[in-house]
Amino acid sequence: MDNPTHYRSIIGALQYLTMSRPDIAFSVNKLSQYMQAPTSEHWGACKRLLRYLAGSIGHGLVFKSTNRLDIQGYTDANWAGCFDDRKSTSEYCIFFGGNLISWCSKKQTIVARSSTESEYRALALATAEIIWIQSLLTEICIHTPSPPIIWCGNLGAVSLASNPVFHARTKHIEVDLHFVRDGVIAKQLYIRYVETENQIVDLFTKPLPAMPFQFLHNKLTSGLHQCHLRGAIGIENG
């Protein structure tokens, strides 16, 4: 581009917009990776995103009053999804009382050697966020009645978080990520499996066709739905 500053200023503004429009988190994440030397192709994708926002200017988050004080999170990863460097993208969304309060779509800093590793890194990222949310709620004298539940779309990562045995295939995963397992063993956290079609954070993982995008968008912005209970598998310590 002749004037990359224009592209950078728009992407910077869109990064602030993701604070109230989580449906554009993946697109903004992707476009932000080319801030140094954007091309006309990136500028075209940016304008497409702006057209989408112009057509959905009335959309936003809906917060509903509720008596529930539970914390539930969804986590997923797009293993080797970046064709430039084969790094994965971690994403999560956290619900408190059925209302979306935190979300993230972030590129991982290293190349994951397996889908389980990439999913486990995303799981650790979501766990750290939930721990921070719990500490914040404790400071303002709000206590959750039950341990948080994280819904993960990878059975390998769910099993890895619950099984205290180190396997040969997981030796390359840093030990500092295993604090997730400590929380599960102490029954301070539950990790459960959710089917792919009900995995809300797929919206943050990859570009989706119109119908799946709208389906997940409605679930993300209208509060936590109980669709994940169908076919869900709970895996706990022991």
Side-chain angles (χ1 to χ4, degrees):
M1 293 183 61
D2 296 332
N3 184 17
T5 303
H6 188 50
Y7 176 88
R8 295 166 186 163
S9 63
I10 292 178
I11 298 302
L14 291 174
Q15 288 177 348
Y16 282 100
L17 186 59
T18 57
M19 298 175 66
S20 60
R21 291 292 301 268
D23 53 321
I24 66 171
F26 172 78
S27 300
V28 175
N29 177 358
K30 194 67 176 178
L31 293 173
S32 298
Q33 298 175 22
Y34 305 99
M35 299 276 271
Q36 182 176 358
T39 66
S40 57
E41 184 178 1
H42 303 132
W43 176 237
C46 179
K47 291 195 293 185
R48 180 183 179 90
L49 177 57
L50 293 175
R51 287 194 295 269
Y52 165 74
L53 291 172
S56 58
I57 197 168
H59 291 188
L61 293 176
V62 178
F63 293 95
K64 301 178 181 179
S65 60
T66 177
N67 295 324
R68 296 166 48 195
L69 295 177
D70 60 313
I71 297 176
Q72 296 195 39
Y74 288 79
T75 178
D76 197 11
N78 184 17
W79 179 44
C82 181
F83 293 104
D84 298 327
D85 52 18
R86 284 302 180 180
K87 291 182 179 178
S88 308
T89 301
S90 300
E91 54 278 324
Y92 65 77
C93 59
I94 310 297
F95 292 86
F96 177 59
N99 294 305
L100 181 65
I101 60 171
S102 179
W103 58 91
C104 176
S105 179
K106 182 179 181 180
K107 193 175 182 181
Q108 296 181 3
T109 56
I110 66 173
V111 178
R113 296 174 58 187
S114 66
S115 59
T116 298
E117 180 183 352
S118 65
E119 294 274 0
Y120 197 61
R121 293 184 183 278
L123 189 60
L125 188 66
T127 301
E129 179 70 8
I130 287 179
I131 291 175
W132 181 85
I133 292 173
Q134 284 183 305
S135 66
L136 177 62
L137 293 175
T138 302
E139 288 183 8
I140 58 178
C141 300
I142 297 178
H143 302 282
T144 55
S146 59
I149 299 175
I150 298 181
W151 300 87
C152 179
N154 185 281
L155 279 173
V158 175
S159 300
L160 184 60
S162 304
N163 186 358
V165 178
F166 284 81
H167 299 282
R169 294 184 178 180
T170 61
K171 288 192 299 184
H172 58 281
I173 302 178
E174 281 88 343
V175 177
D176 61 348
L177 294 180
H178 291 294
F179 77 96
V180 179
R181 179 181 297 166
D182 292 339
V184 173
I185 294 175
K187 297 188 180 300
Q188 298 174 347
L189 180 71
Y190 295 117
I191 311 297
R192 296 180 179 175
Y193 172 75
V194 64
E195 296 175 336
T196 302
E197 57 267 24
N198 293 323
Q199 180 57 277
I200 297 179
V201 289
D202 270 355
L203 194 69
F204 300 154
T205 307
K206 61 184 78 72
L208 296 173
M211 291 186 63
F213 179 88
Q214 190 61 43
F215 174 76
L216 296 176
H217 173 268
N218 292 338
K219 291 187 176 300
L220 188 70
T221 57
S222 61
L224 181 61
H225 291 248
Q226 298 300 320
C227 63
H228 54 252
L229 296 180
R230 178 173 58 86
I233 300 175
I235 299 181
E236 302 174 5
N237 181 37

